[in-house]
């Protein structure tokens, strides 16, 4: 065995501990087979922001010398397995700084595996994952993506289930027996050992051919050579926006054309323009200034700029005027106001209704804790599911 | 994952999966540090997070003070050290610079403060990645200064640091430099020794009649002007000279007690039959060693030398070692704008150390990996090629080359 590299792509803060536990588990399980390993987070991702895509890695090798090459890199050049802990990351990984949008499978090597925790169908997932150029396996670990808060860890067995799945997808890394032993030692729970085994047994895998997937080219930045950069650490500011439109009624603020945010969210607001009371609270509270004011005085969330925090839904006084909906239910980032105008009231209401109904299938908000006792209730449910 | 049982009282060696930062925090437990002060800045903050966790877990018993700034942070340990407390402190990048007034006097007053510098570029412009200019800023002041390249070495060196800094023949502060990200944030398996052995290795800190205490009435740091200052500087100079021998002793005994033997000042890698070598500090060693192995497979006689202690500078060791080669490429993860040959700090120090030799190798300077840019294996091969060319072309090009800069 040469080195085996595993990448864990996750939502910043909400899944940080989960990713760390998985990477440590990989190193411990590999040790059972006499191999050494290292676990590290991609440095530029930290300090993490809520929901921002982030990465951690585990690299395993037969000896110190093989491992050495991996120890001075932020991320490996290629990986045997990528694990996406939230399926909405299949749309791409856009972290802080000038990385651009990285396809979630960018580092997966030929015939490697992308493991996704999801309740979506493989076909739906393949549609949103960028084309890779080489064949790879898509493995689905069935279940709701596991989110927790900064200080709480949702012990819903996703950690050990991923390890069980890994031993199936990547037998050269370690066997199921090593995973079971590790889980027993590190987590001290027979129930978790059973969860790991069940994940191994039930993992669904499908080959993805090079031509399959999202044909779009993920956006990237052209970085200038030093001679062409402005001196004095000067970069162009955000250019002036469209400002007022349609007389003095609507207002469209300027936005940074370089840093889009659509990969940073797992949910987006759906605005019902027909019930909106035009109170402007969403516009006032949105931390990212996402709302464009239309000539009618409506508030249109700019989906390229929205980070999916859900504050607009929280503050909206009209029930159902804003609903946060799972990102998996969308394939584009167009303006909802334009859709409303194009489709008319009836068509738009049908569209909103579809999204809101489909969201119910996803249960809770995908991340964070919003009331006292929620963690305990969800934990009980999750443990039941795991059994 | 369940937390590990408290290690404070455990006497046997055990393995832990920890980062370089965590290894240094773990060393604080082993050395039974009395006072730790903190102020957050990346990547050093990972050490303070771990220290806080060790205290919360009941594994570490110390005064832990989160200060209002780096300046206060370093002042506090300076004073604690004067009253006889074993101390630990640390920072990164401009945080370290903000504390500089305190840092300067700590060496002048001969206080054995042990600090960790998580190497980080000096902002602005903001960058979290490694550059060695932060720690290097103490190079003229009387601080012992070392670079480590693995989490294991970080833990071991921290133990050595307290022992040597607090040795009455030395009484100098010591900075342990760890490359941001590659060392501070990577977890590896580390052998954590039992506490009993560590106590055997590090005697209690005893300032003798220099301790600030009501029973020992003294004044520290009066105004001295030109009447005293030069002699005081000379004392610090002598302490730095003595530190060399005390370090060698400490490494010897460290090997005897813990079984991990290392050369104190430089690490030589594949140099026996080498014709040319690269020299550098910190985690640079990893891609260089990989490249050296690859090139050796192709029959190239190349090696690597890692400088571990920068202060005291291993002058004799490097003179002896480097005079065996035709050419030496020095890789600096720092800059020294306007210096001789526009070279890096290590480059110019090495060139100066070699000057008295009758047989001097050609010395070529490289500046690479600034702001945390990765130094990759092909970059290393490139530097080795350029170093070789210098010899082949009659040593005309003993200059500085920037590697990995976008042009
Ligand atoms: S979810 Fe709402 S409040 Fe949050 S960024 Fe998006 S539009 Fe703004
Ligand atoms: S908060 Fe709700 S009601 Fe008020 S403007 Fe926004 S969408 Fe309309």
């Amino acid at each position: 065995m040469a080195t085996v590299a595993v990448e864990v792509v996750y939502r910043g803060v909400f899944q940080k501990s989960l990713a760390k536990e998985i990477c440590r588990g990989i190193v411990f399980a590999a040790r059972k087979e006499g191999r050494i390993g290292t676990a590290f987070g991609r440095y530029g991702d930290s300090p993490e922001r809520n929901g921002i895509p982030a990465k951690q890695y585990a690299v395993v090798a037969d000896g110190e010398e093989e491992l050495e090459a991996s120890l001075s890199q932020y991320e490996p050049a290629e990986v045997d397995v990528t694990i996406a802990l939230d399926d909405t990351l299949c749309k791409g990984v856009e972290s802080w700084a000038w990385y651009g949008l990285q396809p979630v499978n960018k580092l997966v090597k030929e015939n490697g595996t992308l493991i996704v925790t999801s309740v979506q169908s493989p076909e739906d997932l393949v549609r949103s994952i960028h084309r890779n150029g080489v064949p790879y396996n898509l493995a689905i670990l069935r279940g709701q993506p596991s989110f927790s808060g900064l200080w709480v860890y949702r012990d819903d067995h996703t950690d050990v289930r991923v390890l069980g799945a890994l031993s199936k997808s990547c037998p050269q890394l370690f066997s199921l027996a090593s995973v079971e032993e590790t889980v027993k030692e590190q987590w001290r729970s027979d129930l978790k050992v059973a969860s790991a085994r069940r994940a191994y047994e039930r993992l669904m895998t499908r080959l993805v051919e090079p031509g399959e997937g999202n044909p779009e080219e993920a956006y990237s930045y052209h970085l200038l050579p030093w001679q062409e950069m402005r001196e004095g650490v000067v970069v162009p500011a955000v250019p002036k926006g469209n400002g007022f439109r349609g007389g003095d009624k609507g207002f469209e603020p300027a936005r940074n054309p370089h840093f889009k945010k659509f990969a940073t969210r797992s949910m987006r607001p759906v605005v019902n323009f027909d019930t909106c009371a035009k109170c402007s609270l969403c516009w006032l509270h949105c931390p990212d200034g996402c709302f464009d004011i239309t000539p009618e005085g409506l508030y249109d969330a700019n989906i390229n700029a929205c980070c999916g925090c859900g504050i607009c839904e929280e503050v909206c006084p009209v029930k159902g005027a804003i609903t946060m909906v799972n990102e998996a239910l969308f394939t584009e980032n167009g303006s909802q106001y334009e859709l409303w105008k194009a489709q008319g009231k009836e068509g738009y209401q049908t569209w909103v209704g579809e999204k809101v109904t489909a969201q119910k299938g996803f249960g809770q908000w995908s991340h964070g804790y919003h009331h006292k006792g929620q963690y305990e209730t969800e934990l009980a449910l999750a443990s039941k599911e795991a059994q | 994952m369940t937390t590990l049982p408290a290690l404070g009282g455990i006497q046997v060696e055990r393995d832990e999966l920890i980062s370089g930062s965590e290894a240094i925090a773990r060393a604080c437990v082993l050395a039974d540090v009395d006072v730790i002060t903190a102020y957050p800045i990346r990547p050093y903050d990972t050490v303070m997070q771990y220290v806080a966790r060790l205290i919360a877990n009941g594994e570490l018993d110390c005064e832990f003070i989160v200060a209002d700034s780096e300046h206060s942070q370093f002042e506090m340990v300076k004073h604690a050290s004067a009253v006889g407390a074993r101390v630990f402190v640390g920072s990164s990048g401009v945080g370290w610079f903000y504390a500089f007034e305190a840092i300067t006097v700590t060496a002048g007053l001969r206080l054995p403060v042990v600090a960790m510098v998580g190497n980080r570029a000096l902002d602005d412009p903001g960058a979290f990645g490694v550059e060695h200019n932060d720690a290097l800023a103490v190079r003229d002041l009387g601080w012992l200064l070392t670079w480590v390249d693995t989490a294991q070495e970080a833990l071991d060196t921290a133990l050595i640091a307290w022992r040597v800094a607090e040795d009455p023949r030395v009484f100098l502060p010591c900075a342990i430099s760890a490359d941001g990200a590659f060392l501070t944030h990577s977890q590896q398996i580390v052998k954590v020794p039992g506490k009993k052995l560590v106590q055997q290795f590090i005697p209690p800190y005893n300032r003798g009649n220099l301790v600030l205490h009501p029973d020992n009435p003294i004044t520290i740091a009066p105004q001295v002007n030109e009447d005293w200052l030069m002699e005081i500087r000379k004392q610090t100079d002598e302490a730095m000279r003595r530190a060399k021998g005390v370090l060698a002793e400490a490494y010897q005994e460290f090997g005897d007690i813990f079984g991990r033997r290392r050369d104190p000042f430089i690490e030589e890698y594949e140099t026996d039959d080498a014709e040319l070598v690269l020299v550098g500090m910190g985690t640079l060693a990893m891609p260089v060693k990989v490249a050296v192995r690859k090139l050796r497979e192709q029959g190239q006689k190349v090696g690597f030398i890692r400088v571990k202690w920068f202060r005291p500078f291993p002058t004799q060791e490097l003179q002896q070692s480097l005079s065996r080669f035709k050419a030496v490429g020095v890789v600096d993860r720092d800059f020294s704008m306007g210096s001789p040959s526009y070279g890096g700090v290590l480059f110019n120090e090495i060139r100066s150390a070699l000057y008295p030799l009758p047989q001097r190798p050609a010395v070529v300077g490289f500046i690479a990996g600034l702001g945390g840019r990765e130094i990759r294996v092909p970059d290393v091969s490139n530097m080795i090629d350029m170093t070789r060319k210098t010899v082949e072309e009659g040593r005309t090009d003993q200059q500085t080359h920037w590697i990995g800069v976008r042009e």
Side-chain angles (χ1 to χ4, degrees):
Chain A
M1 179 189 89
T3 48
V4 176
V6 180
E7 171 186 57
V8 180
V9 189
Y10 64 99
R11 294 273 172 206
V13 177
F14 307 126
Q15 299 185 309
K16 180 180 182 157
S17 304
L18 176 62
K20 189 171 177 185
E21 294 300 287
I22 290 169
C23 288
R24 289 174 63 85
I26 292 169
V27 175
F28 285 126
R31 268 194 114 207
K32 294 272 167 234
E33 310 199 351
R35 299 194 184 111
I36 59 166
T38 176
F40 57 98
R42 188 171 63 177
Y43 192 56
D45 293 338
S46 165
E48 286 179 7
R49 284 85 169 157
N50 282 5
I52 304 285
K55 294 180 173 191
Q56 292 191 30
Y57 297 93
V59 182
V60 167
D62 284 332
E64 300 274 351
E65 291 198 351
E66 287 89 353
L67 198 61
E68 228 156 37
S70 313
L71 291 176
S72 56
Q73 293 179 335
Y74 293 114
E75 49 183 335
E78 55 176 18
V79 298
D80 297 83
V81 182
T82 289
I83 297 156
L85 291 176
D86 174 27
D87 54 0
T88 61
L89 287 163
C90 289
K91 293 187 173 187
V93 182
E94 175 196 38
S95 45
W96 190 71
W98 298 86
Y99 279 88
L101 183 74
Q102 288 187 353
V104 70
N105 54 358
K106 182 180 170 205
L107 302 185
V108 178
K109 51 167 86 147
E110 189 165 356
N111 297 318
T113 304
L114 169 66
I115 300 178
V116 187
T117 58
S118 180
V119 291
Q120 294 187 59
S121 73
E123 278 56 45
D124 281 344
L125 287 175
V126 168
R127 243 194 305 281
S128 53
I129 302 170
H130 290 86
R131 286 183 187 168
N132 183 318
V134 293
Y136 66 95
N137 300 295
L138 172 67
I140 299 180
L141 186 62
R142 279 217 85 76
Q144 294 285 359
S146 171
F147 288 89
S148 29
L150 188 55
W151 304 114
V152 283
Y153 183 53
R154 186 189 305 243
D155 200 7
D156 58 6
H157 296 205
T158 301
D159 40 19
V160 299
R161 293 180 71 227
V162 167
L163 292 177
L166 255 178
S167 65
K168 176 81 162 266
S169 295
C170 192
Q172 69 271 34
L173 190 56
F174 39 60
S175 65
L176 177 63
S178 297
V179 170
E180 289 180 334
E181 237 178 282
T182 304
V183 173
K184 222 187 180 95
E185 264 174 39
Q186 298 291 331
W187 281 273
R188 301 188 187 135
S189 152
D190 289 334
L191 192 56
K192 285 200 142 187
V193 175
S195 288
R197 193 180 323 123
R198 212 154 297 160
Y200 173 94
E201 287 159 2
R202 293 184 185 170
L203 191 71
M204 301 185 299
T205 303
R206 165 202 196 281
L207 186 74
V208 184
E209 302 288 356
E212 285 185 282
N214 178 357
E216 273 169 38
E217 183 116 358
Y219 69 86
S220 60
Y221 299 112
H222 173 62
L223 295 170
L224 297 173
W226 70 268
Q227 300 94 328
E228 288 173 32
M229 284 163 60
R230 282 202 223 172
E231 306 232 348
V233 203
V234 168
V235 294
V238 176
K240 276 173 74 181
N242 295 331
F244 291 94
R245 63 179 189 190
D248 59 358
K249 292 209 179 88
F251 186 72
E252 206 176 309
R255 294 204 173 78
N256 191 326
H258 299 297
F259 297 109
K260 302 185 197 295
K261 295 237 188 63
F262 58 78
T264 68
R265 61 170 182 257
S266 53
M267 304 184 91
R268 71 166 71 173
V270 167
V271 184
N272 191 335
F273 299 106
D274 295 310
T275 60
C276 165
K278 303 185 180 178
C279 72
S280 84
L281 280 174
C282 52
W283 172 79
L284 266 172
H285 286 269
C286 171
D288 286 4
C290 291
F291 287 92
D292 294 341
I293 308 174
T294 75
E296 298 88 338
L298 294 164
Y299 295 85
D300 184 24
N302 185 310
I303 295 300
N304 267 319
C306 164
C307 71
C309 69
I311 288 173
C312 51
E313 186 196 55
E314 288 276 280
V315 299
C316 177
V318 180
K319 199 170 178 314
I322 298 185
T323 313
M324 292 301 289
V325 174
N326 195 291
E327 197 53 34
L329 297 169
F330 302 89
T331 51
E332 39 59 55
N333 292 320
S335 152
Q336 294 174 6
Y337 168 70
E338 300 294 344
L339 190 72
W340 178 70
K341 282 214 312 203
Q343 300 214 333
K345 187 170 171 176
E346 211 167 298
Y348 189 71
Q349 285 311 316
T350 313
W351 181 82
V352 171
E354 274 169 19
K355 296 299 179 199
V356 173
T357 312
Q359 168 57 26
K360 296 209 170 93
F362 287 89
Q364 291 282 349
W365 266 27
S366 59
H367 59 253
Y369 292 101
H370 304 280
H371 55 82
K372 215 169 160 226
Q374 185 185 342
Y375 172 68
E376 287 75 9
T377 325
E378 287 184 17
L379 179 60
L381 269 175
S383 310
K384 221 158 132 201
E385 260 172 46
Q387 283 171 31
Chain B
M1 214 171 280
T2 36
T3 40
L4 294 163
L7 280 180
I10 288 185
Q11 301 306 338
V12 293
E13 180 181 270
R14 57 172 293 159
D15 291 349
E16 272 195 75
L17 180 59
I18 50 178
S19 68
S21 295
E22 290 169 333
I24 288 178
R26 181 54 82 193
C28 291
V29 177
L30 296 171
D32 224 343
V33 172
D34 302 308
V35 177
I36 299 178
T37 62
Y39 189 82
I41 183 168
R42 222 161 109 76
Y44 148 78
D45 61 345
T46 44
V47 183
M48 69 181 269
Q49 283 165 22
Y50 202 60
V51 163
R53 205 160 92 203
L54 290 170
I55 293 171
N57 287 354
E59 297 181 63
L60 175 58
D61 181 17
C62 71
E63 288 297 326
F64 181 51
I65 305 164
V66 180
D68 63 329
S69 72
E70 286 91 352
H71 189 277
S72 313
Q73 183 198 0
F74 279 73
E75 276 294 331
M76 285 174 198
V77 282
K78 187 189 91 186
H79 287 85
S81 183
V83 300
R86 175 166 294 163
V87 300
F88 174 70
V89 69
S91 195
S92 291
V94 286
W96 175 245
F97 274 54
Y98 192 60
F100 227 73
E101 192 217 358
I103 286 173
T104 310
V105 289
T106 301
L109 301 182
R110 309 285 301 282
L111 295 162
V113 166
V114 172
M116 181 266 203
V117 187
N119 295 129
R120 160 178 175 159
L122 299 168
D123 338 35
D124 289 339
F128 296 135
V130 45
E131 241 172 45
H132 290 168
N133 282 78
D134 52 2
L136 279 172
V138 295
R139 70 179 194 259
D140 302 328
L141 302 177
W143 277 71
L144 307 169
L145 179 57
T146 181
W147 261 267
V148 291
D149 90 327
T150 61
Q152 183 71 60
E153 198 183 41
L155 186 144
D156 295 352
T157 306
L159 301 180
I160 289 168
W162 276 296
R163 172 168 152 145
V164 173
E166 293 173 1
D167 188 306
R169 292 168 290 176
V170 179
F171 278 158
L172 287 174
C174 179
I176 304 163
S177 286
D179 288 356
F182 306 126
L183 181 53
T184 55
H185 285 59
S186 300
Q187 301 175 67
Q188 287 168 273
I189 297 286
V190 173
K191 290 194 184 312
V192 179
K195 205 166 174 179
K196 267 240 169 68
L197 284 184
V198 174
Q199 280 164 356
Q200 204 179 312
F201 178 65
I202 315 178
Y205 170 38
N206 183 352
R207 258 188 103 61
N209 63 5
L210 300 180
V211 72
L212 188 63
H213 192 275
D215 295 342
N216 180 45
I218 54 169
T219 293
I220 300 180
Q223 183 74 8
V224 297
N225 295 352
E226 72 278 15
D227 310 339
W228 291 37
L229 193 60
M230 197 148 171
E231 288 70 24
I232 292 169
R233 296 284 183 245
K234 184 57 192 158
Q235 287 182 329
T236 311
D237 172 63
E238 279 298 319
M240 186 58 89
R241 287 165 192 257
R242 285 193 298 268
K244 200 78 195 290
V246 178
L247 270 167
E249 248 172 51
Y251 274 83
Q252 177 69 35
E253 203 173 309
F254 188 94
D256 293 345
I257 295 180
F258 302 103
R260 282 189 291 285
R261 293 195 185 279
R262 299 191 184 94
D263 277 333
F265 301 105
I266 59 174
E267 178 198 346
E268 298 217 2
Y269 184 76
E270 300 283 0
T271 52
D272 283 351
D273 61 342
E275 286 165 1
L276 72 88
V277 292
L278 290 187
V279 184
M281 302 196 291
T283 55
L284 164 77
M286 318 219 187
V288 175
K289 286 178 180 174
V290 175
V292 163
R293 283 195 293 271
K294 275 200 178 139
L295 294 172
R296 283 198 160 258
E297 276 168 25
Q298 300 163 14
Q300 296 197 34
K301 291 185 175 163
V302 294
F304 173 62
I305 289 173
R306 180 166 64 94
V307 175
K308 293 161 66 176
W309 285 88
F310 189 82
R311 287 292 182 265
F313 196 74
T315 311
Q316 296 83 357
E317 289 78 1
L318 285 170
Q319 282 175 341
Q320 267 173 22
S321 167
L322 299 183
S323 55
R324 291 142 56 205
F325 313 115
K326 286 194 193 130
V328 174
V330 182
V331 189
D332 270 279
R333 209 162 204 162
D334 63 74
F335 51 85
S336 180
M337 300 299 174
S339 68
S341 302
Y342 298 94
V345 175
L346 184 64
F347 164 74
N348 272 313
E349 295 250 338
I350 287 184
R351 206 162 56 163
S352 135
L354 297 183
Y355 186 75
L357 295 181
Q359 286 286 314
R360 293 190 292 264
V363 185
V364 185
F366 299 101
I367 289 183
L370 297 188
R373 185 157 297 178
E374 286 174 5
I375 298 175
R376 294 162 191 265
V377 173
D379 298 326
V380 179
S381 308
N382 189 12
M383 289 189 270
I384 288 176
D385 279 349
M386 290 166 89
T387 308
R388 171 173 303 106
K389 240 185 233 142
T390 305
V391 188
E392 288 168 1
E393 288 169 6
R395 303 157 64 113
T396 48
D397 179 30
Q398 297 188 43
Q399 289 298 330
T400 307
H401 307 275
W402 284 59
I403 300 298
V405 66
R406 217 167 29 246
E407 44 193 358

